[in-house]
Amino acid sequence: MRVTFLGTGSAMPTGERFQTGLLVQDEGRTLLVDCGSGILHRLQQSGVGYESISTVLLTHHHLDHVADLLPLMKARWLAGEEHLEVVGPQGTKSLVDGLLEVHEYMQDKLDLQVREVHPGDFSIAGFDVSAYETRHSLPCLAYRFDDRFTFSGDSEAFAGLANFAEGSAILLHDCSFPDDVDVSNHPTPETLGRELAGREIGRVYLTHLYPHTEGRHEEMLESIGAHYDGDVRFAEDLTTVSIE
């Protein structure tokens, strides 16, 4: 399995970090998870391209996770691709219907399939996936791909999500702000470290990074390390991780 971090930024993107999106690839199967602003460009830079994306899995519906969804539809239509499947939590059909109401000319341009999923197990694009509800300001799902890869989506750090991720070779986890920012719906390094303490995870990558984290990576890692002694790194746009 190969996971490419297309966008590791947030609703306040920087020049180096676009909004959320990642590619999961394995044995000819390709899945795009989230589609924030800039992800259409990152797809081209990754060498995969929007032509190869026939399925999108959404964690939730905040703009920084869905802003390029309609541009992806249009790009695929213009490229002569005929279909797209969009899968996500409750409300995904309303989201897609609303986008197409605003941009009526895109209606019926693709064979568009929309499916809503709930916590539990399901299959998508040939992948077997487990979903777990996170703690965020909108309904949001974390996703786990066997014992290889778990993506937290947007969430506070809490024991249930840490349990869900335990045993994963790679965990990509929201860590939006340094410790001195008072925030809800996202973790700080200290809270994330406390919840990961004692968990068996191969490697943790931090993502959904606001500009507030720039220049403070070392102290954030030290804060996590005060509680969790595992391998923790910052995710970077266009980094690819191979998982056996």
Side-chain angles (χ1 to χ4, degrees), residues 50-95:
Y50 48 79
E51 300 92 339
S52 300
I53 303 300
S54 59
T55 309
V56 182
L57 177 61
L58 302 176
T59 59
H60 65 298
H61 302 144
H62 276 148
L63 270 174
D64 52 319
H65 296 255
V66 304
D68 266 8
L69 185 58
L70 195 65
L72 173 63
M73 295 181 198
K74 182 170 182 178
R76 284 183 59 78
W77 165 55
L78 291 174
E81 302 295 335
E82 297 181 350
H83 64 91
L84 182 70
E85 181 181 23
V86 180
V87 180
Q90 181 179 357
T92 296
K93 188 177 188 307
S94 295
L95 169 74

Side-chain angles (χ1 to χ4, degrees), residues 164-179:
F164 178 70
E166 186 164 18
S168 298
I170 297 293
L171 168 61
L172 181 64
H173 203 294
D174 178 356
C175 193
S176 294
F177 297 97
D179 285 327

